[in-house]
Amino acid sequence: MNELMNGLSKIPLVHWARFHFTGRAHSDCLINNLCEVFNFKLEHGRDKPVITCLEYIRVYLMKRHRIVQKEIDKCKSILAPTTTNILDTIKTSTSKYMSLFCGSGDWYWEITGIVCRHGVCAIREHIQNGEKAQQPEYWVHPFYNLGTWRAMYSNKIDPINGKSMWPKSRCLTTLIPPTHHTRVIGRAKKRRRRVIHKCTNQLTNLSRKFITITCSKCHNKGHNSRTCKGQGGQLRNEWVDQVKVVWFD
């Protein structure tokens, strides 16, 4: 935890502390789920050649745009579905609030671009008093509108011709195949390698994920007995000799 705080202290507060956010971001989301989902979807194309991998990404994005477009066509509200649910929750919570009008006619919210509980309560008070005031949905920033979401996916990814119909490159540089590496024993890894300093969600129980383990067969570090592929070397031979001596004794 101390290492995490020391690392955060070197980053400006406007990038990770909500109370320092400005009205420019319009979101208080501090997670990178979008990148994690994309990396997970690349699992089946990560070990392919570069052209095949790019084709896998293109087809995935083409299908993804179509799936999102179907969800957009189902929406009836002027806001995106997630924003609509957030605003409905805020409306429900305002039943316990009471607004007091000070006479200036000024209201303010800027952290996320979505009307807060106090703003919804004030808008409701204006509507109940017969004053001209639009519903809270119209006060949400256009960033969360359904039209904005539709515009983001308006550009579709069209199918392309097969590899045999691609135009020939006029590049004078000859591209040679990559260096061949001898394949190690066992199944090839497809998952993305995570950095060693990646933070985990377990704050109380320590994870053994990045702890150096020792193999019980060859007594070398870096793998366990299940993934041991005979890389013990001299240590493994000495251990085998000891086992033989004990066995014959």
Side-chain angles (χ1 to χ4, degrees):
M1 182 61 67
N2 293 333
E3 295 180 359
L4 176 62
M5 295 306 299
N6 293 334
L8 289 176
S9 62
K10 300 178 182 179
I11 304 175
L13 294 176
V14 294
H15 297 308
W16 62 274
R18 181 181 297 181
F19 64 93
H20 273 273
F21 284 1
T22 63
R24 179 178 176 272
H26 305 305
S27 176
D28 59 348
C29 183
L30 294 175
I31 57 179
N32 60 338
N33 284 354
L34 183 63
C35 300
E36 295 295 339
V37 171
F38 183 73
N39 285 325
F40 176 76
K41 291 298 181 180
L42 293 183
E43 179 179 355
H44 299 290
R46 196 183 302 276
D47 59 339
K48 302 296 189 297
V50 58
I51 296 180
T52 308
C53 182
L54 292 176
E55 277 295 290
Y56 180 87
I57 295 174
R58 183 188 64 82
V59 174
Y60 163 71
L61 292 178
M62 183 172 60
K63 295 179 180 179
R64 173 64 180 172
H65 278 222
R66 181 53 187 163
I67 294 174
V68 175
Q69 186 63 50
K70 290 182 179 180
E71 296 297 326
I72 293 175
D73 296 338
K74 296 178 183 178
C75 297
K76 303 298 181 182
S77 175
I78 63 174
L79 302 177
T82 303
T83 309
T84 302
N85 296 334
I86 294 176
L87 190 58
D88 290 342
T89 303
I90 293 176
K91 288 181 180 179
T92 304
S93 63
T94 56
S95 59
K96 301 179 182 179
Y97 285 69
M98 182 181 63
S99 62
L100 298 176
F101 183 56
C102 63
S104 61
D106 295 331
W107 312 94
Y108 182 78
W109 57 87
E110 194 182 26
I111 294 181
T112 63
I114 303 177
V115 188
C116 63
R117 296 178 177 87
H118 307 86
V120 173
C121 187
I123 294 172
R124 183 184 60 189
E125 186 73 16
H126 277 276
I127 296 175
Q128 292 177 354
N129 293 337
E131 302 178 10
K132 294 182 179 180
Q134 293 178 326
Q135 295 295 331
E137 288 79 2
Y138 292 91
W139 292 92
V140 178
H141 194 275
F143 176 83
Y144 296 98
N145 286 352
L146 181 63
T148 304
W149 193 28
R150 181 180 290 108
M152 292 173 58
Y153 289 89
S154 60
N155 298 323
K156 301 300 184 294
I157 301 178
D158 299 325
I160 63 176
N161 294 325
K163 184 177 180 180
S164 59
M165 303 179 65
W166 290 355
K168 301 296 182 181
S169 175
R170 298 181 180 179
C171 181
L172 300 178
T173 304
T174 303
L175 299 179
I176 60 177
T179 304
H180 177 72
H181 298 279
T182 304
R183 184 177 178 181
V184 297
I185 302 175
R187 184 179 299 176
K189 296 181 179 180
K190 292 186 177 182
R191 293 183 174 242
R192 178 172 57 96
R193 294 183 179 179
R194 298 181 181 271
V195 293
I196 193 171
H197 60 272
K198 188 174 181 62
C199 179
T200 59
N201 295 328
Q202 299 177 351
L203 299 180
T204 56
N205 299 328
L206 296 179
S207 174
R208 299 179 57 189
K209 185 173 183 179
F210 300 112
I211 298 178
T212 303
I213 58 178
T214 303
C215 178
S216 59
K217 292 182 178 179
C218 62
H219 299 282
N220 278 347
K221 297 184 180 298
H223 64 277
N224 55 19
S225 58
R226 291 192 307 168
T227 59
C228 183
K229 302 180 180 65
Q231 63 269 46
Q234 183 178 359
L235 290 177
R236 177 178 174 81
N237 296 332
E238 294 178 357
W239 179 80
V240 172
D241 294 339
Q242 293 177 3
V243 173
K244 291 181 179 179
V245 171
V246 174
W247 176 261
F248 286 115
D249 290 343

